[in-house]
């Protein structure tokens, strides 16, 4: 099964993507995670993309498309994958469609997690992440057992620089301009599965599974 997660930053698509990946035993490919781990490890790619992530702008397509094409060509993606955070522009979606057509396939579903902007800003201000192992939390929705401390590795939790309110507003603007048009792109192909992302996490997950099948 090949899935694409659509939705604004902070809509909860990453959380759903992780659970879906476990359920369907396919890799979860998050371009944001890939970029962040490159930044953390100080790689060449990391140095090139850091400024874009910190300001909430999109990384240029030429740095993003090849990375994803290479990743989905790997052995563990043979039975499918979940793309989380890619495509984010029409050009990226077209490149993905072309690459899949070359292999006689296409995306099965684009799961569109819908959440209004106001709710997104509120949610993101509560988001915390572990700078050491990458685990994510939310002060209200997914609190760590001990406040401010990672359950998995004990490190002190932080607010991602791109979750700061000003950057969140910028990311939402970028989302509406560049990524929202993808909903129509996949709607024209009849491949969009809309879900109400304001519902509790478990309910959103069950709604998606009900549509995708066991
Ligand atoms: P995310 O964790 O998916 O919200 O991504 C965090 C940041 O990584 C975004 O704000 C962009 O700067 C960058 N990014 C992630 N995926 C893409 C993509 N497909 N195209 C361009 N930039 C991306």
């Amino acid at each position: 099964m090949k899935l694409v997660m659509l939705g604004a930053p902070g809509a909860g698509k990453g959380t759903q993507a992780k659970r879906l990946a476990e359920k369907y035993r396919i890799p979860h490919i998050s371009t944001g995670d890939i970029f962040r781990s490159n930044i953390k490890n100080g790689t060449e790619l990391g140095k090139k993309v850091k400024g874009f992530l910190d300001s909430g702008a999109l990384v240029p397509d030429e740095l993003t498309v090849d990375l994803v094409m290479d990743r989905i060509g790997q052995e563990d993606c043979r039975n499918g994958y979940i793309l989380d955070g890619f495509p984010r522009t029409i050009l990226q979606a077209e490149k993905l469609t072309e690459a899949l057509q070359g292999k006689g396939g296409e995306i099965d579903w684009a799961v569109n997690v819908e959440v209004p902007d106001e709710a997104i800003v509120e949610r993101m201000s509560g988001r915390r992440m572990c700078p050491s192992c990458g685990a994510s939390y939310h002060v209200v929705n997914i609190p760590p057992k001990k406040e401010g401390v990672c359950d998995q590795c004990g490190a002190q939790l932080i607010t991602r620089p791109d979750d700061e309110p000003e950057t969140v507003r910028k990311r939402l603007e970028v989302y509406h301009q560049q990524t929202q048009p993808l909903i129509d792109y996949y709607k024209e192909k009849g491949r969009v599965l809309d879900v109400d992302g304001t519902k509790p996490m478990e309910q959103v997950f069950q709604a998606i599974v009900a549509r995708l099948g066991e």
Side-chain angles (χ1 to χ4, degrees):
M1 175 156 39
K2 298 193 226 26
L3 300 179
V4 160
M5 302 302 293
L6 295 178
K13 55 186 192 309
T15 309
Q16 296 301 334
K18 277 186 205 136
R19 292 205 53 193
L20 292 166
E22 268 169 35
K23 177 165 179 69
Y24 296 110
R25 301 206 175 102
I26 47 180
H28 166 218
I29 303 172
S30 155
T31 40
D33 284 352
I34 296 173
F35 289 141
R36 279 185 290 276
S37 102
N38 274 274
I39 292 171
K40 190 171 155 224
N41 296 324
T43 67
E44 276 310 305
L45 177 66
K47 286 178 197 148
K48 285 187 196 153
V49 303
K50 185 173 188 313
F52 298 105
L53 270 86
D54 285 350
S55 71
L58 290 188
V59 170
D61 288 332
E62 58 271 26
L63 290 178
T64 310
V65 171
D66 289 350
L67 183 89
V68 176
M69 295 309 137
D70 181 62
R71 180 66 190 86
I72 63 178
Q74 287 170 21
E75 181 60 20
D76 62 337
C77 290
R78 219 184 27 214
N79 295 325
Y81 41 80
I82 302 184
L83 293 176
D84 167 14
F86 183 96
R88 247 184 168 96
T89 62
I90 291 284
L91 188 133
Q92 290 180 9
E94 285 170 351
K95 292 281 181 195
L96 178 62
T97 301
E98 271 168 35
L100 295 179
Q101 268 167 359
K103 296 187 187 113
E106 62 178 330
I107 286 296
D108 294 290
W109 291 108
V111 178
N112 179 30
V113 185
E114 297 179 293
V115 178
D117 283 9
E118 315 82 74
I120 300 261
V121 175
E122 201 179 302
R123 275 184 190 188
M124 283 171 105
S125 61
R127 246 162 51 158
R128 298 291 180 270
M129 78 164 289
C130 174
S132 176
C133 74
S136 42
Y137 299 89
H138 188 281
V139 289
V140 181
N141 305 332
I142 326 167
K145 291 194 185 81
K146 186 169 172 226
E147 197 186 321
V149 177
C150 181
D151 290 348
Q152 289 178 28
C153 73
Q156 205 69 29
L157 301 180
I158 57 160
T159 300
R160 258 165 55 175
D162 58 348
D163 282 345
E164 298 291 348
E166 198 181 316
T167 318
V168 169
R169 275 190 284 276
K170 163 82 179 165
R171 291 170 73 197
L172 281 171
E173 198 184 302
V174 168
Y175 168 74
H176 289 300
Q177 276 174 5
Q178 308 202 52
T179 308
Q180 208 172 12
L182 294 182
I183 299 173
D184 283 339
Y185 177 88
Y186 285 110
K187 279 215 161 122
E188 275 166 27
K189 296 177 185 292
R191 300 279 94 196
V192 175
L193 198 159
D194 287 314
V195 283
D196 178 355
T198 64
K199 295 266 163 43
M201 224 166 55
E202 182 61 27
Q203 235 171 294
V204 178
F205 178 67
Q206 294 306 337
I208 300 171
V209 170
R211 299 282 298 277
L212 295 179
E214 282 302 326

